[in-house]
Amino acid sequence: MSGLEEAQKVLAAQPFSALLGARLVAFGDGAATLELDIREELRQQYGFVHGGVLSYAADNALTFAAGSAAGGGVITAGFTIDYLRPAQGAVLRAHAEVVRAGRTRVVCRCDLTTVGEDGTEALCAVAQGTVSVIGRPA
């Protein structure tokens, strides 16, 4: 089983990720990309993707990127997110990369973009986070 397939199994085991319909489309070498289709029920009252959905995508992408560098057994210690523009489109994409991987902490950054029906991408938020290495869970 490839690293991507193993990581996809981890994502599939997360009930909240399944509820949102998230999918891991890239994983490895200190990076991860998570996508989800933008559906009506993920929007807030003005029709934009809810900030909580953007935060979820950043959190999970940051942690998967860290896990690809640390070998698994990671958990979010904290992250910040800056919303740059309202998120609109067909797909939300969160691409995270490791900035520095230490023995117990991994620092990552994440760009969140929306992809329109025509393939046009728009950067809508950026995040940076710290992920704790806890070792392989039992």
Side-chain angles (χ1 to χ4, degrees), residues 112-123:
L112 293 112
T113 57
T114 54
V115 182
E117 296 288 346
D118 62 357
T120 304
E121 295 185 29
L123 182 66

Side-chain angles (χ1 to χ4, degrees), residues 72-121:
V74 295
I75 192 164
T76 305
F79 74 96
T80 61
I81 187 166
D82 289 294
Y83 302 104
L84 307 175
R85 70 175 52 169
Q88 303 177 79
V91 173
L92 176 64
R93 178 178 296 143
H95 176 74
E97 295 184 1
V98 170
V99 174
R100 181 181 183 281
R103 187 176 52 81
T104 61
R105 295 280 176 130
V106 181
V107 176
C108 303
R109 68 174 156 237
C110 180
D111 286 343
L112 293 112
T113 57
T114 54
V115 182
E117 296 288 346
D118 62 357
T120 304
E121 295 185 29

